Amino acid sequence: MRIRSTVSRLAIPAVALGMVLSGCAASDDAGTGTSAIGATNDTNPHDVSELRDGGNLRLSLSSFPENWNALHIDSDADVSSVERPMMPQAYRIDAAGDPSLNTDYFTSIELTNTTPQQVVYTINPKATWSDGTPITWEDIAAQAHALSGRDKAFLISNNQGFDRVQKVERGADDRQAVVTFDKHFADWRGQFAGNSFLYPKSVTATPESFNNSLVNGISVTAGPFQVQSTDRAQGRIVLGRNPQWWGATPKLDNITFSVLDNAARVPALQNNEIDSVGIASRDELKTAQGVPDIAIRRAPANQWSHLTFNGAPGSLLADPKVRVAISKAIDRQGIATAIDNGLVADPKPLNNHIYLEGQKGYRDNSLGFDPDAAARELDEAGWKLNGDVREKDGRKLEIRNVMYNQDVWVQIAQIMQQNLASIGVKMTIDTKPGTGLFTDYIQPGDFDVAMWSWVGDPFPLGSIFQIWGYKPNDLQGNYGRIGSPELNALIEQTISELDANKAIELANQVDREVFEEGHSIPLLQTPGIVAVRANLANYGARGLATYDWTKVGFLK
């Protein structure tokens, strides 16, 4: 499992995929969830007066963090889960994905000028790091420089728009930072929010500290919780209350994370060893529903699966016409029905690369399922049937699908395999372990098509260039090596647009062009079903929202 740069999304190709995708066979059970995010969430909301003081919330991880710097290219999605109760973020996010100022850390964040664009951050005078040092403008400046991309020695996962920042200066005092952009940046609110945190300058000031200082753990934080203990051998991380915390006192005493295989998570819930588990299948749902004092909470999650094509020069799928034809032959509605039936009321595929269904800006820009057109277009591209498989210039149209070795992924691939066989395209399913999937296969382009998952964000424009923009000598997250100068220009126009409604329109033009160039096709948005202790409040299926970790706790 690894963080990768895309529309502020995290690539999750390792063992958490069983949690990201929801798998079940077709069923007459229609389910009770929805596939649209943003309407609500399901967290058992209660006032803190109804919660008891103390308690230990027990959660699971897929793996022990290899690097605790969530901004680093070698970090993983579990790090974000562990650090959210401990690190500063500029905004709280509600179920609709709308931000509100996080006053624990900032008293104001204002766009003060547009020519040039300037944003002024005024830091809460009470905000301190857990070592007692104040949070200042220098922390913001150091992180902006580290993520700018100007110094390639910083091994960043995502520049988060800091490549467009000209300078960060001290404002009225040390508690104020003035950020000046040399190019407009549409999603400036997301630079320290969504899937991003603010780190102390001791971490971000130099490449050495950025890359290596958090390899073995994190000690300087600034949230209601801090690391109390870690045990790599046992796969356990315990957070405790931060005595330096200046905000509302959290209700929980501890949050304990334990590393568990996917198959062990539901049994751990049954055995009262953990308090929450994401549901990955209809069988798991039935099992969880039979556990005493367990509640099932539902709100679509922000993860989504997709299929990426390898369009590198000289590759089998270098011709965009062939990629588009293949995409039209894949029955994504059939995949949604097979995988999500019994989990959501009306299973649907995801039809947008940039916005999640239910998120403001979402629209269906897909090319649709049309196997007759797919066959015709392959004929026109010179790929003629020879027996069961098409050929051109002595090459067979046999494509290798590389993916994590997990049952749900294989089930999806088998449906694709049947779809493509009907138009003379042979798909070979090539499963890999999570370890090395990205470094050994996806990054080098050792695939014809590949499947993994991204995690969405309330600020979806900040990094769209990094997966759908194309620079041959700087691939970033564009592992399919597909793009064009025209699409690059449209992406630049989109992320430079400060009018939110105009930016949405431009982003949807980008999305349509991504479909039309055959870069990748979105598959499924995760239903987001979570089984939790029934007496756990303000926690569960959060959708796009962030948790207020001072309010998570157990009912009296």
Side-chain angles (χ1 to χ4, degrees), residues 235-376:
R236 185 165 293 117
I237 300 165
V238 180
L239 310 187
R241 292 181 183 180
N242 175 11
Q244 298 284 346
W245 175 244
W246 58 93
T249 302
K251 303 303 290 187
L252 294 169
D253 285 328
N254 300 103
I255 305 170
T256 299
F257 295 90
S258 299
V259 175
L260 294 173
D261 291 336
N262 283 338
R265 295 185 181 194
V266 172
L269 186 76
Q270 289 178 293
N271 295 333
N272 196 23
E273 296 168 355
I274 59 174
D275 298 309
S276 175
V277 64
I279 297 300
S281 70
R282 188 163 176 254
D283 287 342
E284 288 189 353
L285 178 59
K286 285 185 174 181
T287 299
Q289 287 172 326
V291 180
D293 300 320
I294 289 296
I296 305 299
R297 298 178 186 164
R298 302 171 183 259
N302 55 352
Q303 295 101 333
W304 56 282
S305 56
H306 81 289
L307 179 81
T308 278
F309 293 89
N310 184 348
S315 67
L316 185 63
L317 302 180
D319 185 347
K321 294 179 181 178
V322 176
R323 299 193 301 266
V324 169
I326 289 173
S327 72
K328 290 179 181 179
I330 293 174
D331 184 2
R332 296 181 307 116
Q333 179 59 57
I335 291 171
T337 300
I339 300 302
D340 281 348
N341 191 31
L343 295 180
V344 301
D346 183 19
K348 296 177 182 177
L350 184 65
N351 292 309
N352 195 298
H353 294 84
I354 297 172
Y355 297 102
L356 298 167
E357 185 179 358
Q359 191 173 11
K360 184 180 180 182
Y362 179 84
R363 68 182 61 157
D364 183 350
N365 295 316
S366 64
L367 303 181
F369 174 54
D370 192 343
D372 292 336
R376 183 172 62 253

Side-chain angles (χ1 to χ4, degrees), residues 2-4 6 8-12 77 80 195 453-456:
R2 301 173 70 84
I3 296 176
R4 286 294 168 227
T6 158
S8 292
R9 288 165 165 82
L10 310 179
I12 308 184
S80 295
N195 285 329
S453 287
W454 300 116
V455 177

